[in-house]
């Protein structure tokens, strides 16, 4: 794989609904970086398992992922809680992780020329996907805050789900993502911790901007 030189690489890991996606979007816009929400790839695979169960095998997935475009990842279907739950189950599969690895590497190290670099968010970005990123962040927030944020988000999208259900689902996903054998969610030693429980989107972004500006010497 070709690796573009002198690009800015920002890696973000976080548990679900901690605000990492929002920050990744803001960072990408501000610094002209290609943004990849890697959770969407696992959700994309999960959606195949749900909607095309008869076709769900490694060969079919390989073909789908080889032809995957970032634009296909914005399908609204991928946002449901059901898809999220199945995503965290299929994300434990070593072969599926291997299939989506190359797609992530291409986005991270060879973003289209119009971008100054890349910003990826997920669970194993600092540890597995971009261990040499210029800036590594671990964004978190307490469980109740995250559940409330996700609940509001799902309600806004007219999804029929209660706060208790969202809380339970996030708790299960946290457990599964942190304790799995392969690429578990964990903070790497060299990443900067940001707790967004009592931090507005704007204040969090300004903190991150300071970190990035210092690193890339603007
Ligand atoms: O970030 P999001 O909630 O969309 O991710 C859905 C699921 O995909 C996570 O719960 C996790 O199990 C899996 N995932 C992963 N590695 C990543 C991103 C997401 O295992 N880099």
């Amino acid at each position: 794989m070709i690796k573009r030189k002198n690009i800015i690489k920002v890696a973000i890991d976080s548990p679900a609904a901690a605000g990492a996606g929002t920050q990744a979007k803001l960072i990408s816009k501000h610094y002209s970086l290609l943004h990849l929400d890697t959770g969407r790839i696992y959700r994309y695979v999960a959606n195949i398992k749900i909607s095309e169960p008869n076709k769900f095998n490694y060969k079919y997935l390989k073909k789908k992922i080889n032809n995957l475009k970032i634009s296909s990842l914005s399908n609204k279907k991928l946002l449901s809680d059901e898809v999220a739950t199945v995503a965290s189950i299929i994300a434990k599969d070593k072969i599926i992780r291997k299939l989506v690895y190359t797609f992530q590497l291409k986005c991270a190290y060879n973003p289209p020329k119009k971008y100054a670099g890349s910003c990826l968010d997920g669970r194993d970005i600092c540890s597995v996907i971009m261990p040499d990123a210029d800036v590594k962040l671990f964004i978190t927030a307490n469980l109740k805050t995250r559940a409330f944020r996700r609940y509001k988000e799902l309600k806004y999208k007219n999804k029929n789900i209660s706060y208790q259900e969202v809380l339970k689902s996030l708790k299960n996903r946290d457990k599964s993502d942190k304790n799995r054998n392969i690429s578990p969610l964990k903070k790497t030693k060299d990443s900067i911790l940001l707790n967004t429980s009592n931090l507005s989107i704007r204040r969090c972004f300004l903190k991150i901007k300071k970190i990035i500006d210092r690193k890339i010497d603007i």
Side-chain angles (χ1 to χ4, degrees):
M1 192 208 37
I2 310 162
K3 283 193 176 184
R4 267 182 66 194
K5 293 207 173 75
N6 304 320
I7 59 170
I8 304 168
K9 297 186 292 294
V10 179
I12 308 176
D13 285 322
S14 80
T22 305
Q23 294 302 327
K25 274 188 208 139
L26 292 171
I27 295 165
S28 302
K29 194 161 174 223
H30 185 83
Y31 295 97
S32 296
L33 309 178
L34 171 70
H35 171 223
L36 178 68
D37 171 353
T38 63
R40 291 289 180 101
I41 313 171
Y42 294 94
R43 286 172 182 256
Y44 175 81
V45 173
N47 190 47
I48 296 176
K49 188 173 166 72
I50 296 166
S51 55
E52 299 176 278
N54 301 334
K55 287 191 185 164
F56 193 80
N57 60 55
Y58 295 132
K59 200 172 159 211
Y60 184 64
L61 289 181
K62 191 174 179 186
K63 200 175 102 197
K64 293 291 277 185
I65 293 161
N66 282 344
N67 295 313
L68 184 60
K69 302 263 174 300
I70 292 190
S71 56
S72 315
L73 299 174
S74 39
N75 182 347
K76 295 251 181 324
K77 264 196 195 164
L78 305 185
L79 297 175
S80 77
D81 196 55
E82 185 199 4
V83 171
T85 302
V86 176
S88 89
I89 296 168
I90 56 97
K92 291 186 208 167
D93 185 317
K94 204 172 166 179
I95 299 175
I96 291 181
R97 295 202 80 86
K98 218 170 152 186
L99 290 177
V100 300
Y101 179 73
T102 317
F103 182 83
Q104 295 176 79
L105 277 201
K106 258 193 275 168
C107 295
Y109 292 96
N110 195 13
K113 289 272 170 0
K114 65 174 178 177
Y115 296 107
S118 59
C119 173
L120 273 65
D121 67 289
R123 305 289 185 282
D124 60 344
I125 309 303
C126 299
S127 54
V128 178
I129 309 294
M130 302 163 88
D132 64 344
D134 303 290
V135 176
K136 291 181 169 186
L137 305 170
F138 188 86
I139 300 184
T140 190
N142 66 52
L143 178 66
K144 282 187 180 160
T145 307
R146 290 190 282 124
F148 190 61
R149 283 182 193 158
R150 181 51 53 90
Y151 170 69
K152 276 199 303 190
E153 204 177 291
L154 291 170
K155 276 284 146 193
Y156 182 72
K157 290 180 179 124
N158 284 324
K159 305 273 184 216
N160 186 19
I161 192 161
S162 71
Y163 169 76
Q164 285 306 328
E165 282 171 315
V166 176
L167 185 76
K168 194 173 157 206
S169 153
L170 281 189
K171 212 171 167 178
N172 286 338
R173 253 191 325 135
D174 278 0
K175 201 171 149 201
S176 159
D177 290 351
K178 285 180 190 163
N179 298 315
R180 67 184 178 214
N181 292 326
I182 171 165
S183 305
L185 168 69
K186 61 167 195 276
K187 185 193 166 302
T188 57
K189 278 191 187 144
D190 55 358
S191 60
I192 298 169
L193 177 74
L194 284 156
N195 188 320
T196 69
S197 304
N198 296 305
L199 211 54
S200 69
I201 291 175
R202 175 91 193 135
R203 280 196 41 225
C204 184
F205 174 68
L206 291 176
K207 273 189 182 220
I208 296 175
K209 188 174 164 296
K210 224 174 181 174
I211 296 166
I212 299 179
D213 287 350
R214 214 184 298 135
K215 276 273 182 187
I216 63 174
D217 215 11
I218 285 182

